[in-house]
Amino acid sequence: MQLLFSILATTTAVQAYSLGSAGWDAAYSKAKVALHKLNQTEKIGIVTGVTWEGGPCVGNTYAAESIGYPSLCLQDSPLGIRYANPVTAFPAGINAGATWDRSLMYARGAAIGAESKGLGVNVQLGPVAGPLGKNPDGGRLWEGFSVDPYLSGVAMEETIQGMQDSGVQACAKHWLGNEQEHNRETISSNIGDRAAHELYVWPFMNAVKANVASVMCSYNKVNATWACESDAILNKLMKNELGFRGYVMSDWNAQHSTVNSALAGLDMTMPGSDFNSPPGSIFWGANLQKAIAAGSVPQARLDNMVTRILAAWYLLDQDEGYPEVAFSSWDGGKASVDVTDDHSSVVREVARDSIVLLKNEGKALPITRPKSLAVIGSDAIVNPDGPNACSDHGCDNGTLAMGWGSGTAQFPYLVGPLHAILLQSKRTATKVIQSTTDDTTAAAKAAAAAETAVVFINSDSGEGYITVEGNAGDRNNLDPWHNGNALVQAVAAVNKNVIVVVHSVGPVILETILAQPNVKAIVWAGLPGQESGNALVDVMYGAVSPSGKLPYTIAKQRSDYGTGWLNAEVDSFTEGLFIDYRHFDETGLVPRYEFGYGLSYTTFAYSAIGIHVSATAGPSTGTVIPGGPSELFESIGAISVLVRNSGSITGSEVAQLYIGLPDSAPWTPPKQLRGFQKLRLAAKQSALASFELTRRDLSYWNVATQEWVVPSGTFKVYVGSSSRDIRLQGTFTVKW
Ligand SMILES: OC[C@H]1O[C@@H](O[C@H]2[C@H](O)[C@@H](O)[C@H](O[C@H]3[C@H](O)[C@@H](O)[C@H](O)O[C@@H]3CO)O[C@@H]2CO)[C@H](O)[C@@H](O)[C@@H]1O
C-alpha cells in the first residue's frame, strides 16, 4: 500500500514537470516566431506600461498589431478583481492558508482566475508570498497565506495552478524581502543567504514549479540593491537558479534605472509613468530605446524580455479568443458581464473551513437553542455607510472582512455577523439583543439581559499609502482595535457565557480577554470575505465542526516574537531562520496558541506511524526545471499515520508533519513543517494521512557550496495536531 502510494506520487510529480516544460517549450517556439515580426517600437511597447490610468486596468502595456497582441491588462488583487463590479470578494490569502486544505486553495484560485478571464484581465496580480510575515504586525501579511514557507509554498502552488487552469496569468509577488510597509521604498532587506533560501525564496520555488507566468519585484532593496535592479535576485536567483521562464514586472514605480534594471533581469516596467515619484522618471519607453541604440542595453536583452512576455501569453493560450477587457478601473468599475457565477459557495467554504476555534470551555460552542443572545460590537455589523464606503477599504468601520490597500476588491454584498445570526435565531426562537457600537456601557446593558453574549472585535492593517486610525499600513501594536479588550471586559463582568469572535489581519494578543473567567469561547475568523456571517453561523451553530488551524503563532506578548517592523534604512534580518514557531521552539518560549493550533467539536486519535524514507545524503543536482534542480523535487518516500475520529460527530483534522534535521546540519530550527493533510472523518471513521517527502524537505541551503544539501544522520519525525501537540514521533537515518 505504502509502496503503491510512493509510486503514484512520483509518477504524478514527473508528469507534471514534463508537461510544464513542454508547455513552456511550445510557448517559446511561438514567441520566437512572433518576435521576428515585431518592429522595435512594438517591442518597447510590450515591455512598457502606458502610464497609470492610461488604460482600463491598473497596469496596461501597448498593443502590437503586427502579431495581434493586445494591450495587456494587469489587475489586482490576490483576493478578487480590484476596481470592478460585480465581482466576488473572496476570503483573504491568510484565510486560505488557515484552511490547510489544498483543494480549497485550488478552488479559490480557479474561481478568481475564472472571474479575471471573464473580465478580460490577462494578468491577475497575485498570489502573495512576500511578505511572508516575519513581522507579526506587517501591514500586508494577510494578503499572503502563512508565515511558514512550506504552507505558503503549497498555497502558492495550488492557487497559481487554479488561476492558470482558468486561463489567466498569475503573478507571484513581491520578490523579495518586502516584509514591512514602513520605509518600504527605502529600506534594504539584508537577508542572509541561508534564511533567504529556506524561508523567503521557498514559496516562490513552488510558484515557479507551478509554472507561474510572471513575478513582481518589490519596492525595497535586497542587500543594498533595489529589488528591481538586482542581478543577484532577478537573473541569478529567479531565472538561473529557480529556472523561471516567465517575466519579471516591477511593482508600481519600483524601478529606479533604465540600464541597470534591464541588465539585471527586469522584463516589464509598471505602470510606465511618473506614478507616485518625481516627474520624468519614466525609465523605459523612449529611454530604453535610446539605451539600446547607444549600446548600453544589448538588443538581445530586449528580445529576451519580449520573448518571455509573449511566451507567458502563449502558455496560457491567451492568443486564442481571449475576452476583451469588460470594465474600467477609473469610472466605478461597472463590468459589462457578470462573472460571479456560483463563487459565493467557494467563499463560504473557505471562510467556514478557515475558522480557528481557539478556546471552548465547557463546550460553549456550538450554540444550541439559547433563549436570548446578545450580539455586541461594531464588528458585528456591516459599515452603515456601505461595505465599500472607503477607498481601497482604507477604514475600519463595521465588520472586518478584508484589509486595506491594493490587495482588495469591492464587495458585491457583505453578509454581516448580526444579519446571519438574526436569520439563524428565527429558527431557534432566540431573542437577540443588539449593541452594535463599541460603547462599553451599552454593551454591558445588552449583555446583562442575555443568556449568552457574543462580542465581536477586530484588528486591521494594509498597504502603507493609506493610514487608518494612526496605523500607516503596519499595525502599531497587536491589540484589538476600538478598545476591544475593554469591550470584552465590560461584557464578561455581567454575563457568564461570553463568546469572543476575532476578525483580524494577523495575530492579536488575547491575554486580557483570556483573563476574564466568563469568556468561555474564542473564535478566530480572520478576513472571511463576502460570506462572513454565513460562514460564522455555520460553525457557531454546529452545521460544521471548526477545522481551521492557525497559520501563525499567537504569542502572550508582542515582544515574544523577537521581530517587528523597523523605522530604519536597513533590516539585517538578524533572526535568521528563527521566525514565528521556529523562534518559540528554539528559545523555549511558550506561545499562547501555537502555529498549527485549532480545536474541533470532535476529537482525533493518532496511531500507526509508518516511516518509509530512502535517501542518500548530499547535494541535489540534475537539470534545472521550473522550481530548481530536478532532483530536489523527487519523491524520496513518505510518512503516514492513521487518524481516527474518536468523537461522536463528523469533523476534519489537519494532520501535520514536522521534521528535525540531524546534528550534522548547521544550526537549524528544532522542527519545521514538511507535510500536512486535511481529512474529513465521520464519527469513529479512520483514514491514513500520507505525507510525501521530497529531497527539498530534508535539505538545508549550503551557503559555501551554493547547493541544497541533505545532511547525513538521524532525522526526527513529529506528527501531530499542531506544532506543539505532537502525537507520534519517530526517526529515520540518511547515510552518505
Ligand atoms: O496595483 C498594482 C500594484 O501596486 C502597488 O500598490 C499601489 C496601488 O495600486 C496604488 O493604488 C497606490 O496609489 C496611491 C499612491 O501610492 C498614493 O501616493 C496616492 O496618494 O494614492 C494612490 C491611490 O489612489 O499606490 C500603491 C503603491 O504605493 C502594490 O504594491 C502591488 O501589490 C500592486 O499589485
Side-chain angles (χ1 to χ4, degrees), residues 396-413:
D396 185 32
N397 304 336
T399 195
L400 184 68
M402 64 175 73
W404 75 74
S406 66
T408 55
Q410 290 184 41
F411 291 107
Y413 60 83

Side-chain angles (χ1 to χ4, degrees), residues 486-510:
L487 189 67
V488 175
Q489 278 175 313
V491 171
V494 298
N495 188 294
K496 288 196 163 19
N497 195 26
V498 179
I499 296 162
V500 177
V501 177
V502 188
H503 286 119
S504 158
V505 287
V508 170
I509 303 299
L510 296 167

